[in-house]
C-alpha cells in the first residue's frame, strides 16, 4: 500500500473507525514507524506530536484499539484505520473523541448475515442447516419462506411480542437465503424500498406503465 509520509513532514492523519459499528472514534497521526508497529502488533499505534514519541492507544488505560484493516485514500496521504475498541476511546472516558456513544446499529448485522449466508452458498460445508436449504433447492427454500411468513402472521395476531420477534427473525433469515439462491442480496430490497420512499415514485411508475401500454 502506497503512503506518502513525506507530504506533511513525515506524518499522515489516521482516522479510526469502529469496524463493527462504523462510527468514527478518533483522529491521530502516524509516521512510518507507528504504521509498521501497528501492523506488527495489531494494536493501533500513533506518533504523539506533543511528546514526540510513539504511543500505542491503550498502553496505560488498557483501552486498546485492535486493528482490523488500514486503507490509504486516493492521494495516499490519509489513512482509514478500522479497529475494534476494548473500551472508551477518548482519554476523557467517552466512547469517541467527540463525546458520542459508540452504539451498534443492529440493522448493520443484516449485511453481516448476508455475507455469512453467501459464504455458506459458496463453500457448502457439511452439517450446516443453511447448506441443507441450498441443497434442497429453490422450491423448498420458497416453501420455508411461506411457512415462516404464516407463523409470523399467527404470532402477530394471537401471540406475544417475543414470539413475534422470534418468528419474524426466522422469516428474514429464510428470505435472505432465498435472495442469495437467486443471486440477490438483502440490500437489493433496501434499495427498492428507498426508491419507493421517493414522493414521485408512484407517479413515475404510473406514467411508465401508461407509456408502455400505449406502445
Amino acid at each position: 500500500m502506497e503512503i506518502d509520509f513525506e507530504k506533511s513532514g513525515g506524518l499522515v492523519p489516521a482516522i479510526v473507525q469502529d469496524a463493527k459499528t462504523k462510527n468514527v472514534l478518533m483522529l491521530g497521526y502516524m509516521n512510518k514507524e507507528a504504521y509498521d508497529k501497528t501492523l506488527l502488533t495489531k494494536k493501533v499505534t500513533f506518533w504523539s506530536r506533543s511528546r514526540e514519541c510513539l504511543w500505542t492507544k491503550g498502553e496505560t488505560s488498557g483501552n486498546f484499539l485492535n486493528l482490523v484493516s488500514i486503507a490509504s485514500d486516493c492521494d495516499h496521504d490519509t489513512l482509514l484505520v478500522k479497529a475494534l475498541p476494548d473500551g472508551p476511546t477518548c482519554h476523557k472516558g467517552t466512547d469517541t473523541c467527540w463525546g458520542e456513544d459508540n452504539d451498534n446499529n443492529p440493522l448493520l448485522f443484516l449485511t453481516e448475515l448476508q455475507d455469512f449466508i453467501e459464504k455458506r452458498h459458496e463453500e457448502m460445508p457439511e452439517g450446516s442447516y443453511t447448506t441443507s436449504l441450498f441443497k434442497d433447492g429453490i422450491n423448498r427454500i420458497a416453501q420455508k419462506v411461506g411457512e415462516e411468513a404464516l407463523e409470523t402472521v399467527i404470532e402477530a395476531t394471537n401471540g406475544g411480542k417475543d414470539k413475534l420477534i422470534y418468528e419474524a427473525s426466522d422469516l428474514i433469515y429464510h428470505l435472505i437465503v432465498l435472495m442469495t439462491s437467486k443471486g440477490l442480496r438483502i440490500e437489493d430490497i433496501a434499495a427498492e424500498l428507498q426508491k419507493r420512499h421517493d414522493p414521485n415514485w408512484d407517479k413515475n411508475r404510473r406514467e411508465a406503465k401508461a407509456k408502455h401500454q400505449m406502445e
Side-chain angles (χ1 to χ4, degrees), residues 52-101:
E52 296 189 342
C53 65
L54 291 179
W55 66 281
T56 299
K57 182 70 184 72
E59 60 190 2
T60 55
S61 66
N63 298 328
F64 292 100
L65 293 169
N66 301 291
L67 180 67
V68 173
S69 66
I70 302 182
S72 178
D73 75 339
C74 56
D75 292 324
H76 310 295
D77 60 3
T78 301
L79 299 177
L80 176 61
V81 181
K82 294 184 179 182
L84 296 173
D86 281 336
T89 297
C90 184
H91 69 283
K92 293 185 176 181
T94 55
D95 289 346
T96 79
C97 288
W98 291 268
E100 299 174 332
D101 292 331

